[in-house]
Every structure is written in structure tokens, then in C-alpha cells.
Amino acid sequence: MDALANLLDGPRARGAFLLRSILTPPWSLRIEDRAPLTLALMVRGDGWVVPDKGDPVRLCPGDIAVIRGPEPYTVADAPATEPQIVIHPGQVSATPQGVELCEEMDLGVRTWGDVPPEAVGTVGAPGPVRSVAGAVVAGAGQGGSGSAEDSVVMITGTYQMRGEISQRLLSALPHVLVMPGDAWASPLPALLCEEIVRDEPGQEVVLDRLLDLLLIAVLRAWFSRPEAGAPAWYVAQSDPVVGPALRLLHDDPAHPWTVAALAARTGVSRAALGRRFTDLVGEPPMSYLTNWRLSLAADLLREPDATIGAVARKVGYGSPFALSAAFKRVRGISPQQHREGVAAEGSAAS
């Protein structure tokens, strides 16, 4: 398994929050939910993601934004539109003055906004509609001042607990990235549009897995783009010496690797490997291995049934004590404290 495959193997949605929003302009949502990661798919109409720090990013029909938290941001019809609704932790919606809107704006199965559900039609309906092919979209609006043609449909999927997304993945992403709808081909956006409004047994699990698949597909496509600014370890995979060394470390992190062993497997001297690895990846091979093992351990500790001893063996430490010592030295907390923090976040989100 290569480094990117290992990285993208992390998302594990558990009861993720998925919602179809139907809104008429002017509209503006202030997102203060402190979620670690959110996907926003523009099904119909245009919108903007407005970070507190950085330039606004436009979303056109079919575009998908991946937004890394927990810092707040705004999603609106225009960058200058003042927030009308605030989304709090637990996906509680309210006015800026604190009046809750969850029930008032409920439009049925995973649908929310200011357009009545009976006004919803299909892409093939008459009228100037730009949207994701095959998706259900809105017709007339009643909450905003815009016309039927101005109504927007946006699907959001939110990973509500940090334990659902690996820290390795979060640290590799910018605050906001956008995959243009016309820059890649995937059946997943249209499938999500269909599935989000279904109310059938097991649908929550279906949507969790769809969200994971869509995130993985978007990030795989995004990392391959020149403007992605991919992390150093990703770029280094194409190097004829460092690439094989990275794959060895990722394929078998529990192996008792040394620089000498890696050099022998890659056909260069220890000095040449150490120098080239450090130049391209940004840290020496053994330092990279330590951080990789601890990142894996941090993700494995999300599972409540995994013992610290079992995690230690899986990532290359001979005992729970050895893992705890390394974890605390590098991360400043013990594995148990890390696990308690993940559990506390889960309780807060629920």
C-alpha cells in the first residue's frame, strides 16, 4: 500500500451529519460547529466559502469543497452577505440572536431550508437550471428574495468527531480545497444526491460509506493536480530511491527497520539514502518512521476495543510502555490521554 493509499484509508464516518439545504438568496450560514472536516457539494446554483483568514472561494454547480475545521467559516451566496444563520456544535441551527431554527426550517428527510418540499422538481423540468446531472433540485423559493431560478441546492456531509478522520489526513490538507465539477468524472455526487433523501432501513450506514467514498475520490483527484501543493512525502513517492523506501515503511511499519536495512533494500548507501530522504521528505528516515508509527497508533486508539498492548505490537513497539514513552515524548500526552480526548469529543458531538 502506497503512502497516499494509507492516508486515504483513514476516513470512518460514524453517524455523520448529511443534509440537503435548499435556499434562496440572499443567504449566509455561519459555521461554528467545530467539526474537523466537511464536504460541501453544490448541486444547483453558486455559492462561496468565506474563511475567516484567506480569500473567499467560489463554488459552481458540481463543485465540491473540502473544508478543514475546527476554525469557523461562512458559506453564502456572496462574500459580502451577512450571516443570517449560525450552525453550532451538534448541527444546531439558530439566528445570530440565538433563536433556534431546526424545526422551523425542516423540510423533510435530511432536507432543510426556505423552499417548500412540494416545489422540488428534477433537472429535466422546464426553466434555466444548472445542476449535477440526475440530481433532485428545488423550484420556487419562499424564504429569500430571489426567484425560482436563483434557488440553490447544496449537500453537506460533516465528520462530527475528530476520531473519524486521521490527523495525518487533516495535516495534509489546506483549510479549503475545491475540486471543480468539470475537472473530474465520478458517479458518486449524483448517487449521493439520490440517496440523501431516501428514508429506508440502514440508510445511515449507506450515507456514511458514501461520504467516505466521496471524500477519498475527491482527495485522490485533488492530490494529482499541480496546484494541490501536495506534501513533501507525496511528491517524494516518485523518486526512484526515496519512493521505494517510503513504500517499505508504509507497508510494514512494525518491522524493525534501520537506515542500513532500508538502504540495502533500495540499492544505495546509508549516507546517500539518509541525505536524499531528508532532502525530499523533510526529516530523516527513522524520524519519519517514528511519526508514522505514532500516527497509526493514534488512529488505532480510536477503537475502544483495541488495547494499548495490541496497538503497540501492530505499529512496531515491543510493549505498551515503549509505545507510551514514545507517544508522550513526541505528542506530549500518553496513549490513554489521547484515547480519553477522542472519547470526550465524541460525547460532546452527540
Side-chain angles (χ1 to χ4, degrees), residues 1 4 26 41 43 57 65 68 70-71 80 83 99 125 130 133 195 211 233 238 254 258 264 275 279 299 329 335:
M1 185 180 290
L4 181 60
L41 164 63
V43 179
V57 180
R68 175 172 55 83
E71 293 80 9
V99 179
R130 298 171 62 218
E195 292 291 338
L211 180 61
W233 55 260
S238 61
T258 63
R275 181 171 57 253
D279 288 345
D299 290 343
R329 183 181 72 252

Side-chain angles (χ1 to χ4, degrees), residues 30 110 112 118 125 193 214 253 266 269 273 279 315 319 332 340-342 345:
R30 176 67 175 169
R110 300 182 194 88
W112 177 92
E118 60 269 18
C193 291
L214 183 58
T266 55
S269 69
L273 175 63
D279 288 345
V315 300
S319 68
E340 290 169 353
V342 170
E345 286 183 354

Side-chain angles (χ1 to χ4, degrees), residues 28-302:
S28 180
L29 311 176
R30 176 67 175 169
I31 312 300
E32 298 182 355
D33 60 2
R34 299 197 60 77
L37 200 69
T38 297
L39 272 74
L41 164 63
M42 289 304 298
V43 179
R44 168 178 170 168
D46 295 344
W48 291 80
V49 178
V50 186
D52 282 7
K53 297 179 181 179
D55 297 329
V57 180
R58 186 175 184 177
L59 299 179
C60 298
D63 292 355
I64 299 178
V66 179
I67 308 160
R68 175 172 55 83
E71 293 80 9
Y73 57 94
T74 301
V75 183
D77 67 321
T81 303
E82 289 294 324
Q84 302 149 350
I85 299 170
V86 181
I87 308 299
H88 297 282
Q91 303 305 316
V92 175
S93 58
T95 67
Q97 293 75 34
V99 179
E100 288 199 15
L101 297 170
C102 296
E103 293 186 8
E104 180 180 337
M105 299 187 71
D106 184 8
L107 297 176
V109 178
R110 300 182 194 88
T111 303
W112 177 92
D114 56 27
V115 176
E118 60 269 18
V120 173
T122 63
V123 169
V129 175
R130 298 171 62 218
S131 59
V132 173
V136 176
V137 299
Q142 67 177 20
S145 59
S147 65
E149 296 81 16
D150 296 327
S151 60
V152 302
V153 179
M154 177 175 62
I155 291 177
T156 53
T158 301
Y159 291 85
Q160 301 187 83
M161 293 180 287
R162 185 167 295 275
E164 296 175 300
I165 294 288
S166 73
Q167 188 59 42
R168 293 175 289 124
L169 178 54
L170 292 173
S171 63
L173 300 178
H175 182 45
V176 181
L177 70 87
V178 175
M179 175 54 62
D182 58 2
W184 71 313
S186 172
L188 293 172
L191 183 58
L192 180 59
C193 291
E194 294 176 8
E195 292 291 338
I196 197 168
V197 294
R198 295 185 187 275
D199 189 15
E200 299 177 2
Q203 192 64 13
E204 183 178 282
V205 177
V206 171
L207 291 172
D208 279 351
R209 297 292 76 78
L210 262 179
L211 180 61
D212 289 341
L213 285 171
L214 183 58
L215 174 63
I216 290 168
V218 168
L219 293 182
R220 183 176 63 177
W222 180 78
F223 271 118
S224 68
R225 295 170 65 84
E227 68 271 24
W233 55 260
Y234 179 78
V235 177
Q237 289 184 105
S238 61
D239 184 80
V241 173
V242 178
L246 281 169
R247 284 189 286 275
L248 288 168
L249 297 178
H250 281 260
D251 285 346
D252 192 4
H255 185 81
W257 292 110
T258 63
V259 176
L262 285 172
R265 294 286 295 272
T266 55
V268 296
S269 69
R270 288 182 295 175
L273 175 63
R275 181 171 57 253
R276 194 176 185 92
F277 196 105
T278 302
D279 288 345
L280 293 180
V281 179
E283 59 184 327
M286 293 300 99
S287 175
Y288 180 88
L289 176 60
T290 296
N291 288 321
W292 172 236
R293 285 172 168 171
L294 296 181
S295 294
L296 286 175
D299 290 343
L300 291 169
L301 288 166
R302 296 179 295 176

